[in-house]
Structure formats: C-alpha cells, structure tokens
Amino acid sequence: MKYLVGYTKNRIAVYVDLTNSQAAPHVAAHPYLLGLAKDALSEVTAKEERLKFEQNAGRPIGYENVVETSPGENVIYAQLVKDDLYSRFTRKGVPKRTNYVSLVIERQGMEYYLLTDAWIGRLKPPRPGSPHETPASRQYWATHAFLLDTQVMQKHSRTEVCPY
C-alpha cells in the first residue's frame, strides 16, 4: 500500500509502502513519524538516486533506540521482522531523548522517490551485510546495539554468536 508522504524542496513526490518497507514497522509504532518525515522532506533538495539524511525537528520528538555498548557486554543478534539481516541487541542502556528524525529515500524512475526507511534518532551507518554497508558499518555496530525491547524480532533467529 503506497502512501504519499510529501514533497521534497524541489517538488518531487515521496511515497512510502506502509506494508512491506523497512519504514513500515517504525511508522506503525510512531504514526506521527509520517508528519515528521513530511516536514524533513520539504527541507531537502533531492537529486541523488539514494539519499540518507537526518533532520533536527527543533524539539524533542521521541527516544533513540540505539545505545553504545561496552567491550565484553552480553549482546544477542537477531533478525527483525521482514528483514534478513542480523541486528545487534543489548539489555543495558537507557533510551535518550532526541530531536532528530532520519530518512532514507530512493529514486523510482524519474517520477518520484520511495521512503525506504525512517526512524526517530540520529543517522547511523547501514548494518553489516546490507547492500549499502560502508567501511564504518562494522566498526559502528561493534560498539552499538538496539535496546532489546524496542524492535520486533523474528522467532527463532536469536543467537549469541556474531553472524557477520
């Protein structure tokens, strides 16, 4: 189900798939995320095939669900629902308030962009194993993790062994 989120500063439409995208579970958990995304999109001029950016909303809008971890901390790895990548999780840490929303949009032909991911919080490197993995990805995710109860995981995907 495609839904019009808004328009970029250079008037290109941006849609989101509210069923099958990585943004879908984040929007389901925080419906106001679509309004934040609309505001953020109106401030960006989109020209690239794929654009990843964060926007300061100027006020607290929610809580970060990724925290820094300590060496030797017990972590687990699991796959999120509708995701074949493994993510790192911890039980320790406290969510921090944030003013930031982060978005990932990808051009679909010449007509429009698709919002492929959106979340409350600062921009982060792609997870290891992602097609968009960068040299900073493994380093960042070796010292950061999602808070355990903030994401929906696939059953039977939990492991204590790093899969990447």
Side-chain angles (χ1 to χ4, degrees), residues 51-52 77 90:
L51 186 59
K52 189 174 180 179
Y77 300 86
T90 182

Side-chain angles (χ1 to χ4, degrees), residues 47-87:
K47 295 180 181 176
E48 298 88 353
E49 289 298 311
R50 182 173 192 268
L51 186 59
K52 189 174 180 179
F53 64 98
E54 65 183 16
Q55 176 83 24
N56 186 336
R59 66 188 190 290
I61 57 170
Y63 293 88
E64 287 268 0
N65 64 355
V66 173
V67 296
E68 194 165 350
T69 57
S70 305
E73 185 173 320
N74 287 335
V75 295
I76 64 162
Y77 300 86
Q79 293 171 311
L80 302 174
V81 170
K82 297 183 182 180
D83 194 353
D84 58 351
L85 295 177
Y86 276 83
S87 297

